[in-house]
Amino acid sequence: MYNNIYMIVAMTEKTNAIGFDGDMLYHLKDDLKYFKETTLNNTIVCGSKTYFSFPKRPLPNRKNIVLTRSKKKFEGAFTLNSKEDVLKYAENNPDEKIFICGGDNVYSQFMDYSSKLFVTTIEEKDIVSADSFFPSINENSWKLVRASEFIYPENAPRYRFLVYDRI
């Protein structure tokens, strides 16, 4: 576990669905605001597909790191080529808060190394179509330390913000 590696995700409550066809399942105004406020002035790490899904690249007022096996360069972002490179970066920058922010492959690689999870959980009355998922949150490894009240947006499912600490 690395004390400065966190994950931030918006996912459905039953199936942990996070996306479909390269896009988020929901664009929830308060969730996007929460993501911005939580990651502002910190470092974010994402895969190239997630990076290209951002409406503005690089995300402003954050150090953007793209994790990719490709030799491609991303304007305004740093490139690291392996999980080990990211872990070494975290070791060498212990005062930086590093937020893993997708996609599913990147989340899977860092689940065992993260110390904190920032989860927007979205009510799922019916199973939604998705092709990417967040890993299961093992209750023996994580403790819920904060939960917001539910937010009830118009024309969208209700959701809330949860924060977990590694046990």
Side-chain angles (χ1 to χ4, degrees):
M1 178 186 71
Y2 289 68
N3 289 328
N4 61 334
I5 295 181
Y6 310 143
M7 289 198 190
I8 187 163
V9 65
M11 67 180 191
T12 59
E13 64 183 354
K14 292 178 185 168
T15 61
N16 292 14
I18 61 173
F20 183 72
D21 202 21
D23 199 6
M24 295 176 7
L25 294 175
Y26 302 98
H27 293 269
L28 305 166
K29 187 176 96 180
D30 287 331
D31 174 57
L32 296 171
K33 181 180 172 189
Y34 178 73
F35 177 89
K36 180 180 179 181
E37 290 171 353
T38 304
T39 62
L40 210 56
N41 301 314
N42 293 298
T43 299
I44 60 165
V45 175
C46 63
S48 57
K49 287 182 189 173
T50 299
Y51 184 74
F52 284 118
S53 75
F54 295 154
K56 186 174 190 173
R57 295 178 295 275
L59 288 183
N61 302 311
R62 281 155 276 212
K63 185 181 290 182
N64 289 237
I65 296 175
V66 179
L67 177 59
T68 180
R69 288 183 290 273
S70 164
K71 298 295 181 206
K72 187 176 181 181
K73 298 295 180 199
F74 300 86
E75 190 176 331
F78 297 91
T79 303
L80 293 176
N81 298 114
S82 69
K83 172 181 72 178
E84 291 73 24
D85 288 348
V86 174
L87 296 177
K88 186 173 186 132
Y89 179 86
E91 287 173 14
N92 292 334
N93 297 279
D95 296 331
E96 272 185 49
K97 292 180 180 176
I98 301 167
F99 287 86
I100 307 299
C101 59
D104 57 356
N105 184 331
V106 177
Y107 285 131
S108 294
Q109 290 183 61
F110 290 94
M111 191 66 169
D112 292 337
Y113 299 95
S114 300
S115 60
K116 193 176 280 282
L117 304 177
F118 294 83
V119 178
T120 301
T121 183
I122 304 164
E123 186 175 57
E124 188 176 22
K125 289 183 178 167
D126 298 312
I127 305 301
V128 296
S129 292
D131 58 14
S132 57
F133 301 86
F134 191 77
S136 296
I137 299 173
N138 182 334
E139 293 178 11
N140 296 320
S141 301
W142 297 98
K143 176 184 176 187
L144 181 64
V145 294
R146 193 171 359 136
S148 74
E149 296 296 320
F150 277 99
I151 297 170
Y152 296 87
E154 281 187 46
N155 303 319
R158 70 183 189 151
Y159 60 97
R160 65 183 178 153
F161 306 115
L162 308 174
V163 178
Y164 294 88
D165 283 342
R166 171 90 55 193
I167 297 174

